[in-house]
Each structure stands twice: as C-alpha cells, then as structure tokens.
Amino acid sequence: LGFVRPNGKSLPDYLAEISSNPVKFHKSRVPKYMIDNGTYQLLGMKEKNGEEKKNTEANSIGDFKSTLIQKHAKTIRQLQDALEKTSYSHSLMPVVEEGEEEGEVHLKIGEAKARPNVSLKLRGMALPNASTPITTESGRAVETESARQLHRYEVKDNEREVGYLYLIKSYKESVPYRKLGEELWLEFEERMPWEIASTIPRFTTSWFYQTFQCLKREWIVQMRDRVTIISETFQSALIAIILGTVFLNLDTSQGDADARVGLLFIILLQQILGPQKDVPKIMAKKRVYYSQEAAGYYHGSAFYVAQTLIQIPFSMINIFIFVLIIYPLTDLNGGTGSEEFWYMFGLILMCVLTAQAYVLFICSITPNAVAAQAAVPVGLVLFMITCGYLISTEDIPVYWRWLNTISFITYGFRGLMLNEFNGLTLTCNDDELVPPSSEPDFNIAPPNGFGGAQTCPFTSGRAYLATFDMDQFDPDEEKNQVLFYMIAFIAIFNALAFWGLVIRPHELGDQEEPPRFELESKTKQRIRIEAMEKDESKKDMEKSPGEGESVDRDHLTLIKSKIVSYIEWKNLTYKVVNQKDKSQQITLLNNVAGYAKPGDMVALMGPSGAGKSTLLDVIAGKKSTGEISGDILVNGKPVDEFFPRIAGYVEQFDSHVELATVEESVYFSARLRLETNDEEEIKLEVNNTMDAVGITHVKDMIIGNLDTGGISPELRKKTAIAVELVASPTILFLDEPTTGLDSVSAMAVIDTVSELSDRGLAVICTIHQPSAELFSRFKRILILQPFRAGKTRGGRVAYFGDVKNVKDYCHDMKLGELKSGRNIADFALEALGGPQEMKGADGKSKLLQPADVFLETKMWQKTKALLDKGVFTSEERLVEGGLKVPTFNSVFAKGPMEQFGTVMGRTFATTMRDTDTISSQFGSIIVMGFVFGTLFYQLDTDQSGAENRVAIFFLSLMFICFTSSYKIQLLVKARASFFRETTSNMYRGWVFYVTQLVADAAVFIPRATIFTIMVYFLAGLNLEDGGARFWLCWIGIILLFFLALTLAEACAFSTPNEQIGIGVFTLSLTIQSLFAGFLVRESNIPDYWVWLYYINAIRYPLYYFCVNELDGLDISCPGNEGAVPVFVGTDPSVCEGQFDDPNCFRFYCPIQSGNDVLDQFDMTESVGFYLIITIVFIGGLRILNVVLFSFINWVEK
C-alpha cells in the first residue's frame, strides 16, 4: 500500500500508528531521500500475481548526505512531486553539479541521459522563488505550486485517498480479506465454543469451587476493611444504648404501651435503613463482577451467592449486640434469653436480609451510585409508611392497600407487636384515666355528664393490638405466619436482585472514544490539511541549525517562550509517620538533588517504591502530609505562594469534572489563571492550546469516566495537559502521563510534551517502563534507587544526567552492559535501580550500590558544584536574551467575583447535565408527592385526621432528609478536582462552597414547589387565612431541603469516604428522628437525653409545619368514631353492650381541636418562633460546614 517504516520503530508500534494516522508513514508524505538513505524502509509488498517483492533499500549516495541536499530537501521533494505528475518516468534522484558561473551550484533532478531541464540555481545557498516554472524534455510546462499546496497529506495513489477509507477499501479488495470471508462463511457460527460443543466447558472449575473462592475473597475483603466493621458495630451498640436509656425500664402503663410501639418501630426503622450505606460498595463491585463474569472467571450465580452469604455473619453479630443491649435496658416482654428475645433477634435479622436484597436489586438496575442512592430510600419510605404504624391499616385508601400487603416492613412490625403485646397486662396511672377530671361535664350526672366515672382505655395487650387490627387470629400462629412471610420476602427480593445482577443483559461503560471513520468533505479536508501544513512549515522555519546538539551549550538561544523559569532542589528529604508505630518515621526520599532549566525535559525513573512520584509531588508542592527538609528553589528563590501560578501539574490519574466538556475544562482553567479579561484573547488561547495538544476534534465531547463512557484515556490525559498548559506555566510537572495508554497514545502524549519543552518549558515527568523511542525524547534523566541499610533508607539518586550518556556511564562504572536489541530504558532501570554484583581483584563478589557509585563520579561533582553555585541564570543575562522570569502581585489571577461567576457557570452547567441525578430527584419527588397526597387524600377533621396531619409532615420530613444522602457521593467525588484546582490557585475554597449552594437551590426549590403543591392540595391541608398557610408551608419545605442538604454536606466534609459518610448521615437522622418529639414526646424523654431534644435540627421544622397546620383547627368525633366509651351506669350487667344508652355509656372525644394535638406533642410556641430557630440552625450548620470544608482535607498526597 505504499507505507514506509522508520528505522528503530518496532513493528507492533508501527502498525498501531498506521491504524491511528494512516497518512503519517505513507511514501507520498516522506521525502524520497529519507527512503533512499535508509531513514525509512519500504516494507515487503505483494504484486497482484501474488509474487513477493523483497525489501529493498537504495544504496546511499554520497551526494545525498551533503548538507546542501539535506537543507533543501523540501524543495527537492516539490520538484520530484511535480515531475511525478508529468510523463517523465526515469529516476528522480537529485545530483549536485558546479554551475557555469563562479559561486553557482546546480541542484539537478533525474538521470544524466534522460534528465529534463529541471534544476535549482543556488547562489550563496539562496533558494529561488517557489513559483519558478519547471520544463520537461517534451517542452510541457508544469507550474510549481507552493509548499502548502504541493506537500499534501491527502495525496492520491491510484485515485484513492491515503486515509481510513484507503485502508478499509484496500483491505476489502485484498486476498486475505477474501479468504477470511470464505472461512467465516464456512466455519463460523455466532456462538461461543462452549455453546456449540458440549466437550468444551465454559468454566474449568465446578460451581461449588467458584462459590467457595468468591466467598473466600469476600471474607478477606470484609476483614481487611476493619474501619467499616468497627464503625458499624459501634453504631449498632451506640443506637442500642441510646434507645435503651431513652426507653429505660418500660412499665405496663398506657403511656409506656405507646412507648413500646414507638420503640419497636424505631428499632425496625434503624435496622432496615442501615443497608443503604452499602450502595457505593455494591456499585464498585458491580463493575468488577461484570468484567470477571464476562471473562469466564466464575458463573454469575457463584458471585451472587457469595455476595449474599457473606453479609449474614456480620449482620447476625451486629443485630445480636443490638438486641442484647436493648432488651434488658427497656425491660421488653419475656426478658433476655426468653423465647420473645430470640424471636425478635430472628425477625430483625430476616428484615435486614430482605433490606439488603432490596438494596442489591436497586443497585443492579440503576446506572450509577448517585441514582441508586436517590432511589433506595424511595421504596423503603413507601414500605415504612404503609406498615401500619404511621397510618393505620383502616385509614389506608383502598387503592394503596396493596402496598401494605407487599411491604416486608408490615410483617416485621406486625411480628414484633405480637411478640411484645401478646399476654401483656396493661394498667393506667391516675392521669391516664379518661375522661380527665378537668372535663367540664365530668361531675354532671348521666346522661348529660360522666357522673365522675373514669375508665382505663386498654387493660390488655390484645385489646391494644386491636387498635392496629392485629387481634383477628391466634397470636402464636400469626407469629409463625410472619416468619413464613419473611422467608418468602427474602426469596422474592433475592430473586429480583439475581435477575437484575446476573440474568438481565448488561454492558460496561465505554472506556474509549468510539472510532470515527466519517469522511470529510473536500473543502473541510483541504482547510484542515492546509492548517496542519502551515503549522508544520512554521515549525520547520523555527528550527535552529544544529538540531540535536546539547541545549546546555547555550539553551537561552533556543527558547521560544519569552517568560521562563528554573527549578532546582538539593538535600531533599521526605519523611512520613509510620502507621504501625506512630512514634517512628519512614524516610521516602533521602538527600535527593537535581534541576530543570527552560527547555529541559527531565524524566524521573526508578523501580516501584523508589519514590519517583513522591519526589515529583514534593517538588511540585502537592504533598499534604509528611515532613519535608532541604531546599527547593525557583528562579534562585525559595518556593513562595506564587509558585502555583508558574507551575502546571498533571496528575497520574486525571481528576476532571466528569460532566464538563473538553473545551469547557480548558476554558475554565484559562478564565481563572490568565490575567487578561479579554474574552476573545482567552478563547484564542484556549483554541491554540487545544490545537497544540490535538484535542480540538473532541472539544464538544463530555469528558466522562470509565463507567459511563466519554473520551479515551489518551484524550483525557491530553485534556489534563491542556488544562495546565493554557495557564502559560513555565514549569510543567507530569506524573506518569503514559499510565493506562497504549504505545501509540503514549507516544502521542510524550510528543506533545516534547513540543512544549521545545517552547521553553521546564518539564519534569515521572515515567514507568518507557519504550526506547519514548525514552529518547527526554533530555535528562534522574534515576532513584530504593535503599535500605541500617538507619539509612529512602529513594536516593543513582544517576542524574543526559539520557545519551546512560549507556557509557553504566559501562564505565561497571554497572552493566547494554546488549544488542535491549530496550535502553529497561537496561537503565535494571543497572541503576538496584545493587549490582561485581567480582573484586581477590575474586570475591561484592555489591555495588549505584547511589553510592554516583556520589563518587565527576558527573555528580559537577552537578553539585552547579547546585551550590545556583542553576538560575542571572536576570541580566535573561534580559540580554530577551527573556524574563514571571512576577505576580497576587496569588490569584482573578478576583473573588470573577472566580464566583466562572465557577458558578461550570457548576450550574454540570449540575444540569447530570440527568441521572436530576431525573431521579424529580422522579422521586413526584412519585412520593403523589403517594403522600393520595395516601392521606382529603383528610377529615376527625380523630384520625388530626393524627394523620402530624404523620404526613413527619413522613415528608424523613423522606426529604434521607433522600438527601446523594449529596455525600457528589461531594466526595468532587474532592480530587477541587484539591487540584485550589492548590493551583484557581479560586478560593469558599467560592466552590457557595456555588454548590446556589446550584443546589436551583434544583431543590422547584422540587420543593412540586412536592408542596401535590401534597398540600391532594391531602386537603389547611387553607385558612386566605391561603397564607400554604405559602408558609412552601417556605418551610424549601428550608427543610436546605437543612437536609446542609446535614449531608457536614457528613461528607467530616468523613473519609462516602460509605462512612452515608453511615454517619443515617445514624444522625435516626437519632434526630427519635428525639424529634413525634416518636418519643418530650415528657417521656429522660432528663439525661433531653438536650438532644433541644439541639435537634429537624424537630423545629416539624413543629413549624404542625403549628402552621393545626393551630385553631376544629376537630370532632363524627358518629363517635375515635371516641372512648365511659361507663356511667350503676349496674354493669344491665348496661353490658348498651353503648347507645346515655344512661350506661357516654363517649369522650379526646381531641376536640388542633391545639389539643399540639399540647400532646408539647408544641407550645408560635410559627414564627420555629421558623426563626430553623433558620438559625441552617446558618449555624453552614458556618460549621465552611470550617470543616476549609480545615479538613481528605485528599492525602
């Protein structure tokens, strides 16, 4: 096909590069003299008759090697291309002859016998005009076009363009393609071998062995995560102690009967909400499972069984500790060790296992962790609402009764209630008898009054169960039925989770940019090609004579940038605290020294653990932990607060904002790091930077990640380079920029970096196992040797010098010999990265430490003398060369308002692009608004209606708070990019925090509005005072969203990862809901816990909603529904069952106004009071968050 291979390039790398850029190595692109003199080789090709041509390589001609021909190679190529378009068919080799006049040289093309009249007359080595006519023997004139038009990328070969289409068409017309088609037609079936041949199993091990190995791995992983195990056990014990001491020693009174129900519900709620903290862990495992299952590691069912079984022992331990603590403290029915004790333990365990299967099912069908975190609480809240506690089964509308039936919490709550109240005798304290003596007609004789008679509402546990519709069957039999139902629920949810994870078709997110084979139009192609040729011509013009010579000879004359920086380091030592023994330190770097000048490209290399990335982070000022000693000088001065403005840092693992486009990321950096405010100038710089690193063609693509897809790793790395380059740094740090890239991508990235170095940047780069070609791009190399001997340890310098001298240095120092064909980079690491064995004069072997050897060399002495003197060139010499060092007046390029505007723009754009999160948030709010509104549809002003008005606000509060946990994952995910941007002095930390707040408000205010409208009008809540109460409720819901997100942020900022953050958030909300005054009223809270009632953040919005709704609302008992019958007769035998006879029974309506409900819950303050306290809590927590955000850094480097 006419492709040529450069000498020294391996065949796999060469073929890979052709597939990514076909035009690069085509013979029509490469000058002929480079093919003829052996710089490029023509590969063996096949003629149409199938005969092979042998690899040919033209003998070098002496004249070709002359300076004249090399200098004017491009012009020669232009002449040759022009002749190829004519009828001339002889050799096109150039020949140099003396001219007819003195000082004249003729550069002629072609053979002597058939040479056309084509020549260049050179006087004083000057070229003629490029448009000089060229004439052939036949007299036909050919107009020489300019280099831009003639030296084409899209040159044609047999009417076919050299490009992707050329490769594809050529392959489809080839013999191998035809043979492949025949083989596919005859032999291939669209099934894997194990699907068509029973003798070829898909797995080489049995299902039981796979399950055992998966279970073993899960056990090891769980046991290594000791922080999570300890924190979960601690949380379980803490909640048990709090609940046990709040409900300490419950008696058989009416009030404590209510407290027992509240306790059982809280226990169930706390245990069932616990598994949602596992969402991040499950989502991380899901991708690993998909990958390994597809590769045939194990059957999906083996992984699933192991994943399910491993949860059981840990759940059993935590639940047993919980029940063991709470049972004796609260004096529940039966006592510790009784049948009731073990029944509670077993039932709670079943509920937790069901909840775990439910969470696994949701995770298996959601695209990412954020969406799963938002979806999990929705179902749990639905099941919780309809379980029969917050709203009685009779009050649940018919169209929602099915939720009560399919809710596993229904059966868990029912079983706990039967277990606790069966056989329990209840009593009344004097103040619990009804009616109270304060009732106006208490002493009036019947039938107009109660005649001083009082009664105890419930005297047995079975009578109390009747209020929950749990007295129809034999309690013992029903308890066993509950266990049967729970087993069925465990099986059902596990079947759903198994379907979602194993059976349902799944695929991994795209890890690379999809190949683009679209054909450009001729016009677009010509514009692109001419632009590329213009850049290349410009580069050729900028090249200085003597290319390849040492820059050190006079590096200032070769620098294209006008602003430069020098960096040097000496006696650099870095120590960190030993995590196993806090009193000791570990030395990671030991007296390391080196430097980088403008135009230098320095590679930091060494074996794993030598400290090359550590050294780069220390020099770049990115270490947030450890102790650093030694000197780091920039332009002759110690590193100061302005250093981030002159240095760019490209991390090993890119920390981009995933939902930003490539262009937006580069623009964001330019907008905040360039001092200019000219928008056109900034956009021009952005475009030039993207062109320079080769990412313009993907500028509108979302960066993405490996899970959801996006641009390729190569382009992601180039984008990271562009983000730093656009800030016009004078020093560029790169941490293993080729990690995770194939050879072509790695070479493309290093070529980009090399071009940046040519512009005058001082480039320092860690590199791991580079190819020989990639290694040759570096000018200097610093190799670290990991060293440990006695008290001396840490990475030490084994070599610092020019790359070209490594081979000779190792030979001279007897550290090794480079064998033919060996990669010099691998050789250097082997020779200098560890001790070398050498035989002494006495024949005994001894070990040479390359780091010790280097300290004795003249190379080190020269480097040390240079460092002692100072590498930085005097500013006077810089000025003479037209250069200068950067100076700044502020650590930030832009002011606070400009920072806020830029960060706000990106935050808002990425928030709106997160469609998974947005859709899950609005979807859940619409669903739950509809459910709440229809579940409590058009509430009456009767007894149950009064209680349900409090319940609907408590449920709304719990739903909004628990679903705000998604914010924790978003903030934890943003840590890496935030750390990179703030340490680069792009913006102040508070700017990020405030922009997050505003972006959140843009989402949660519409959500709050939708939720308020749906719930308020569907439930028929209070519209008195001209609808003012609706608007007050709307304001309260907005503040509640604000408060919930504030609590989530506090957990995100104060915990190391999202799993612990979500666990702490759930624990916090569980405790706050317990002391919110709804589940346990203030009068029942012990004195030693009442402080949690008063500092409870979510209590005040709950009380705000209730007072706004119930204050002044009239409540009644229509048809004596909800009223308590009080016996007022004289002869019980006569009055038995005569409830309609006023002389026998008189009904007492407990709640006669909304204020009675408020009094029961101790809601004695005004709406304004609770509103102000809520705002104060939000403000205080926001201030706390700013402190946590500013002073706690979980990104350790």
Side-chain angles (χ1 to χ4, degrees):
L1 301 182
F3 291 99
V4 293
R5 176 166 57 136
N7 271 339
K9 183 176 284 291
S10 68
L11 186 59
D13 288 351
Y14 167 68
L15 294 176
E17 289 201 39
I18 286 181
S19 68
S20 72
N21 186 7
V23 130
K24 184 175 181 181
F25 299 108
H26 197 264
K27 65 181 181 181
S28 58
R29 164 92 180 268
V30 178
K32 279 188 171 57
Y33 80 91
M34 298 184 75
I35 299 176
D36 293 336
N37 69 10
T39 304
Y40 282 79
Q41 301 178 19
L42 277 168
L43 298 183
M45 297 181 292
K46 292 185 178 181
E47 296 288 350
K48 290 183 178 180
N49 58 10
E51 296 180 1
E52 289 193 6
K53 281 187 176 180
K54 296 181 179 179
N55 286 334
T56 59
E57 186 176 337
N59 294 326
S60 299
I61 301 176
D63 291 338
F64 268 56
K65 299 179 181 179
S66 67
T67 304
L68 179 65
I69 293 179
Q70 290 187 8
K71 185 173 182 179
H72 301 300
K74 181 174 287 188
T75 306
I76 293 171
R77 181 61 187 162
Q78 294 173 18
L79 294 173
Q80 291 170 334
D81 285 346
L83 287 172
E84 282 183 332
K85 295 180 180 180
T86 70
S87 58
Y88 182 74
S89 59
H90 298 280
S91 171
L92 295 177
M93 291 192 300
V95 177
V96 178
E97 295 179 355
E98 293 185 1
E100 299 172 355
E101 300 179 9
E102 185 178 353
E104 183 179 79
V105 176
H106 287 193
L107 187 56
K108 299 186 177 181
I109 309 297
E111 297 177 355
K113 296 181 180 179
R115 181 178 297 144
N117 186 19
V118 178
S119 66
L120 296 176
K121 293 182 180 182
L122 310 177
R123 291 182 180 276
M125 308 305 289
L127 283 169
N129 192 307
S131 61
T132 302
I134 301 175
T135 347
T136 65
E137 283 183 329
S138 62
R140 180 181 176 185
V142 179
E143 186 70 19
T144 304
E145 299 181 10
S146 67
R148 182 184 301 176
Q149 295 172 324
L150 221 163
H151 190 54
R152 294 282 168 88
Y153 284 70
E154 83 279 16
V155 291
K156 298 192 175 183
D157 179 18
N158 297 329
E159 304 300 325
R160 291 174 298 190
E161 293 183 4
V162 179
Y164 291 117
L165 185 61
Y166 175 56
L167 285 177
I168 293 171
K169 286 186 175 180
S170 299
Y171 176 60
K172 288 186 176 181
E173 294 171 359
S174 67
V175 174
Y177 180 81
R178 188 183 72 247
K179 289 184 177 180
L180 176 64
E182 293 172 353
E183 292 175 0
L184 292 176
W185 178 263
L186 296 174
E187 301 178 10
F188 183 75
E189 290 188 44
E190 293 184 358
R191 286 183 292 172
M192 299 305 286
W194 53 77
E195 293 178 312
I196 59 175
S198 58
T199 58
I200 306 177
R202 182 181 179 186
F203 304 106
T204 58
T205 55
S206 68
W207 182 87
F208 291 101
Y209 181 80
Q210 295 170 13
T211 304
F212 172 77
Q213 291 299 326
C214 289
L215 194 60
K216 179 181 176 182
R217 180 181 66 176
E218 290 297 324
W219 175 261
I220 293 172
V221 171
Q222 292 278 1
M223 295 306 297
R224 282 179 182 163
D225 191 5
R226 294 184 179 180
V227 174
T228 301
I229 293 175
I230 294 172
S231 65
E232 288 180 354
T233 305
F234 173 77
Q235 287 181 25
S236 183
L238 178 62
I239 288 291
I241 292 172
I242 293 174
L243 289 175
T245 51
V246 169
F247 296 94
L248 187 65
N249 294 327
L250 294 174
D251 57 30
T252 58
S253 65
Q254 304 294 294
D256 279 7
D258 293 338
R260 288 173 189 267
V261 181
L263 173 62
L264 297 177
F265 179 76
I266 295 169
I267 290 173
L268 205 56
L269 177 67
Q270 186 269 335
Q271 293 292 332
I272 287 171
L273 290 176
Q276 72 171 340
K277 69 181 180 299
D278 295 330
V279 168
K281 184 167 62 176
I282 294 173
M283 297 303 287
K285 287 181 180 179
K286 188 169 78 166
R287 181 176 178 83
V288 176
Y289 158 70
Y290 286 163
S291 159
Q292 294 182 346
E293 194 274 339
Y297 280 41
Y298 43 70
H299 195 280
S301 59
F303 172 84
Y304 184 86
V305 170
Q307 183 71 25
T308 304
L309 291 180
I310 199 64
Q311 302 292 335
I312 296 177
F314 295 98
S315 299
M316 289 180 66
I317 293 172
N318 288 333
I319 294 171
F320 181 76
I321 292 173
F322 180 87
V323 176
L324 188 63
I325 293 173
I326 203 170
Y327 220 89
L329 287 176
T330 56
D331 196 20
L332 291 176
N333 191 13
T336 306
S338 64
E339 179 184 342
E340 288 80 5
F341 173 89
W342 291 111
Y343 184 88
M344 171 182 275
F345 167 75
L347 185 58
I348 293 176
L349 177 62
M350 289 183 176
C351 290
V352 170
L353 294 178
T354 307
Q356 289 173 350
Y358 163 78
V359 171
L360 185 57
F361 166 62
I362 296 298
C363 289
S364 69
I365 61 174
T366 47
N368 55 56
V370 176
Q373 199 66 61
V376 164
V378 174
L380 292 179
V381 170
L382 281 175
F383 293 151
M384 178 182 68
I385 295 171
T386 56
C387 74
Y389 173 72
L390 295 171
I391 178 172
S392 65
T393 306
E394 293 180 352
D395 289 336
I396 298 176
V398 176
Y399 44 82
W400 285 122
R401 294 266 174 96
W402 60 273
L403 269 177
N404 175 266
T405 304
I406 69 168
S407 170
F408 69 93
I409 303 179
T410 297
Y411 300 93
F413 179 66
R414 193 178 190 90
L416 292 178
M417 288 286 289
L418 292 168
N419 186 61
E420 180 61 27
F421 284 95
N422 183 33
L424 190 66
T425 301
L426 300 179
T427 60
C428 277
N429 298 326
D430 291 341
D431 59 349
E432 294 175 336
L433 295 171
V434 294
S437 58
S438 58
E439 184 69 19
D441 52 357
F442 176 73
N443 292 314
I444 299 175
N448 298 320
F450 294 95
Q454 291 180 306
T455 187
C456 187
F458 304 104
T459 58
S460 68
R462 189 166 182 81
Y464 192 86
L465 289 173
T467 61
F468 293 92
D469 195 27
M470 297 181 184
D471 63 334
Q472 298 93 335
F473 307 102
D474 179 78
D476 292 329
E477 291 183 6
E478 194 165 0
K479 284 170 60 178
N480 294 331
Q481 290 178 4
V482 166
L483 295 179
F484 172 79
Y485 288 133
M486 290 307 305
I487 293 172
F489 274 113
I490 292 174
I492 291 171
F493 278 106
N494 273 287
L496 289 172
F498 184 82
W499 169 82
L501 191 66
V502 178
I503 300 176
R504 190 175 71 96
H506 53 262
E507 58 183 21
L508 300 176
D510 294 331
Q511 298 186 32
E512 296 186 359
E513 173 200 5
R516 300 180 302 111
F517 293 110
E518 65 269 16
L519 300 177
E520 297 176 298
S521 67
K522 294 293 182 181
T523 303
K524 287 184 178 180
Q525 188 183 51
R526 183 175 296 278
I527 292 173
R528 176 178 60 81
I529 292 168
E530 290 183 358
M532 294 172 68
E533 289 184 357
K534 182 179 180 180
D535 290 341
E536 190 162 292
S537 300
K538 185 177 180 181
K539 291 177 185 176
D540 292 339
M541 293 173 63
E542 291 175 346
K543 284 184 179 179
S544 302
E547 183 180 359
E549 298 179 9
S550 175
V551 180
D552 276 341
R553 186 179 60 180
D554 190 2
H555 68 278
L556 295 179
T557 62
L558 300 179
I559 293 174
K560 303 174 181 63
S561 175
K562 298 299 181 184
I563 302 178
V564 296
S565 290
Y566 296 72
I567 185 169
E568 55 192 289
W569 57 95
K570 58 183 178 180
N571 302 324
L572 201 60
T573 299
Y574 177 67
K575 300 178 180 179
V576 296
V577 175
N578 188 341
Q579 296 299 320
K580 295 182 179 180
D581 185 356
K582 302 290 184 180
S583 62
Q584 296 183 352
Q585 289 185 317
I586 299 175
T587 302
L588 300 182
L589 297 175
N590 192 342
N591 290 322
V592 178
Y595 62 85
K597 297 179 179 180
D600 278 356
M601 188 169 171
V602 181
L604 305 181
M605 293 181 62
S608 297
K612 51 186 181 295
S613 292
T614 300
L615 174 60
L616 186 78
D617 287 341
V618 170
I619 300 171
K622 296 295 181 180
K623 281 297 180 186
S624 58
T625 58
E627 178 185 318
I628 301 172
S629 61
D631 299 319
I632 303 175
L633 304 179
V634 176
N635 297 326
K637 300 177 182 178
V639 174
D640 55 24
E641 67 272 18
F642 301 113
F643 180 65
R645 294 198 60 184
I646 67 172
Y649 182 84
V650 180
E651 297 176 322
Q652 177 180 355
F653 301 103
D654 312 316
S655 54
H656 296 292
V657 176
E658 297 171 356
L659 291 171
T661 66
V662 171
E663 184 177 28
E664 287 170 350
S665 297
V666 181
Y667 174 82
F668 181 82
S669 179
R671 192 77 179 83
L672 292 174
R673 298 169 78 177
L674 296 177
E675 291 190 343
T676 179
N677 288 317
D678 187 336
E679 192 67 20
E680 292 299 324
E681 185 177 345
I682 293 174
K683 288 184 178 179
L684 179 63
E685 187 66 29
V686 170
N687 292 332
N688 290 340
T689 302
M690 290 192 296
D691 288 340
V693 299
I695 56 175
T696 304
H697 65 289
V698 293
K699 66 178 184 177
D700 295 323
M701 289 187 65
I702 300 294
I703 294 175
N705 56 47
L706 295 179
D707 292 326
T708 60
I711 60 177
S712 67
E714 173 196 349
L715 294 173
R716 194 174 285 119
K717 185 68 69 176
K718 286 186 174 182
T719 301
I721 295 174
V723 165
E724 299 301 322
L725 178 61
V726 77
S728 299
T730 52
I731 303 173
L732 184 62
F733 300 96
L734 301 102
D735 189 8
E736 297 197 18
T738 60
T739 298
L741 304 181
D742 57 57
S743 59
V744 178
S745 300
M747 200 68 233
V749 169
I750 293 300
D751 281 341
T752 300
V753 175
S754 180
E755 291 178 10
L756 301 180
S757 175
D758 291 341
R759 297 181 183 184
L761 268 70
V763 178
I764 304 175
C765 171
T766 61
I767 200 76
H768 184 67
Q769 291 186 326
S771 65
E773 185 180 8
L774 191 149
F775 185 71
S776 66
R777 293 294 196 273
F778 292 93
K779 181 183 181 298
R780 288 194 181 88
I781 182 175
L782 189 156
I783 296 181
L784 291 173
Q785 177 195 353
F787 191 77
R788 182 174 182 177
K791 293 185 178 180
T792 304
R793 63 184 64 195
R796 300 171 61 200
V797 178
Y799 179 84
F800 178 67
D802 290 349
V803 169
K804 61 184 179 182
N805 296 331
V806 171
K807 175 183 175 183
D808 294 337
Y809 173 83
C810 293
H811 170 76
D812 295 341
M813 297 296 107
K814 297 181 172 27
L815 293 172
E817 298 289 341
L818 178 63
K819 297 180 181 179
S820 177
R822 179 82 185 278
N823 183 344
I824 187 171
D826 293 342
F827 164 73
L829 276 178
E830 183 178 317
L832 300 170
Q836 302 297 320
E837 186 176 348
M838 186 188 75
K839 289 187 177 181
D842 56 358
K844 295 183 179 180
S845 297
K846 63 177 183 179
L847 289 179
L848 285 179
Q849 298 291 348
D852 292 333
V853 173
F854 181 69
L855 293 178
E856 304 298 326
T857 62
K858 292 182 179 179
M859 182 183 297
W860 164 245
Q861 298 302 325
K862 182 179 178 181
T863 301
K864 185 175 182 299
L866 180 60
L867 289 171
D868 292 339
K869 178 183 177 183
V871 177
F872 175 60
T873 306
S874 65
E875 290 198 38
E876 290 77 10
R877 189 180 175 211
L878 285 177
V879 173
E880 291 174 3
L883 307 174
K884 62 180 180 179
V885 296
T887 57
F888 305 99
N889 297 320
S890 172
V891 295
F892 296 101
K894 297 295 171 62
M897 295 310 297
E898 291 175 285
Q899 293 175 11
F900 176 80
T902 304
V903 179
M904 186 70 254
R906 183 188 67 175
T907 304
F908 187 78
T910 54
T911 300
M912 293 301 105
R913 281 199 194 112
D914 192 359
T915 54
D916 288 336
T917 302
I918 293 291
S919 59
S920 63
Q921 288 176 346
F922 278 92
S924 64
I925 212 71
I926 292 172
V927 170
M928 295 308 294
F930 176 76
V931 171
F932 285 176
T934 53
L935 193 61
F936 296 93
Y937 185 71
Q938 297 300 310
L939 292 174
D940 294 323
T941 55
D942 55 9
Q943 300 296 292
S944 63
E947 295 173 350
N948 287 339
R949 288 171 193 270
V950 180
I952 193 173
F953 288 118
F954 178 76
L955 288 172
S956 299
L957 182 143
M958 297 302 295
F959 165 70
I960 291 171
C961 287
F962 276 103
T963 53
S964 297
S965 61
Y966 76 91
K967 188 64 179 177
I968 297 174
Q969 289 196 331
L970 294 178
L971 289 175
V972 171
K973 187 185 294 185
R975 284 176 182 172
S977 60
F978 170 78
F979 179 81
R980 172 179 60 81
E981 292 169 350
T982 50
T983 54
S984 298
N985 287 3
M986 289 192 189
Y987 51 81
R988 295 166 174 84
W990 65 264
V991 171
F992 175 84
Y993 185 78
V994 174
T995 56
Q996 289 289 318
L997 187 154
V998 175
D1000 288 338
V1003 176
F1004 74 66
I1005 289 178
R1007 294 178 66 209
T1009 304
I1010 294 171
F1011 185 78
T1012 305
I1013 292 173
M1014 294 184 70
V1015 172
Y1016 210 91
F1017 291 103
L1018 284 174
L1021 298 180
N1022 198 340
L1023 286 172
E1024 293 180 1
D1025 302 326
R1029 299 199 184 205
F1030 165 79
W1031 295 108
L1032 288 173
C1033 181
W1034 175 67
I1035 293 172
I1037 294 292
I1038 291 176
L1039 291 176
L1040 179 59
F1041 271 99
F1042 207 174
L1043 176 63
L1045 289 173
T1046 305
L1047 292 171
E1049 289 174 359
C1051 294
F1053 297 149
S1054 59
T1055 53
N1057 56 58
E1058 61 266 37
Q1059 186 174 356
I1060 294 178
I1062 293 170
V1064 171
F1065 183 66
T1066 304
L1067 174 65
S1068 171
L1069 288 181
T1070 302
I1071 294 174
Q1072 290 188 76
S1073 63
L1074 172 63
F1075 293 100
F1078 177 75
L1079 298 175
V1080 183
R1081 298 171 188 177
E1082 180 188 6
S1083 57
N1084 294 329
I1085 299 176
D1087 293 339
Y1088 45 81
W1089 285 124
V1090 76
W1091 59 275
L1092 282 175
Y1093 170 82
Y1094 288 109
I1095 67 167
N1096 194 330
I1098 68 174
R1099 175 175 79 89
Y1100 295 96
L1102 175 63
Y1103 279 26
Y1104 169 84
F1105 293 129
C1106 292
V1107 172
N1108 180 61
E1109 175 65 23
L1110 293 169
D1111 186 27
L1113 187 66
D1114 292 329
I1115 305 296
S1116 61
C1117 294
N1120 290 327
E1121 184 177 354
V1124 179
V1126 180
F1127 176 70
V1128 296
T1130 57
D1131 187 354
S1133 61
V1134 175
C1135 293
E1136 184 177 358
Q1138 302 297 319
F1139 291 103
D1140 295 333
D1141 186 349
N1143 293 314
C1144 291
F1145 290 94
R1146 183 171 174 81
F1147 286 87
Y1148 172 71
C1149 192
I1151 303 174
Q1152 300 176 17
S1153 71
N1155 296 89
D1156 292 338
V1157 179
L1158 298 178
D1159 291 339
Q1160 290 179 11
F1161 289 97
D1162 302 306
M1163 302 176 184
T1164 57
E1165 304 295 338
S1166 65
V1167 171
F1169 174 82
Y1170 293 123
L1171 177 64
I1172 292 172
I1173 297 299
T1174 300
I1175 295 173
V1176 169
F1177 263 100
I1178 293 173
L1181 287 171
R1182 285 285 168 180
I1183 294 173
L1184 174 63
N1185 285 351
V1186 171
V1187 174
L1188 294 173
F1189 179 70
S1190 302
F1191 293 98
I1192 298 181
N1193 175 32
W1194 294 108
V1195 181
E1196 295 186 357
K1197 290 182 73 69

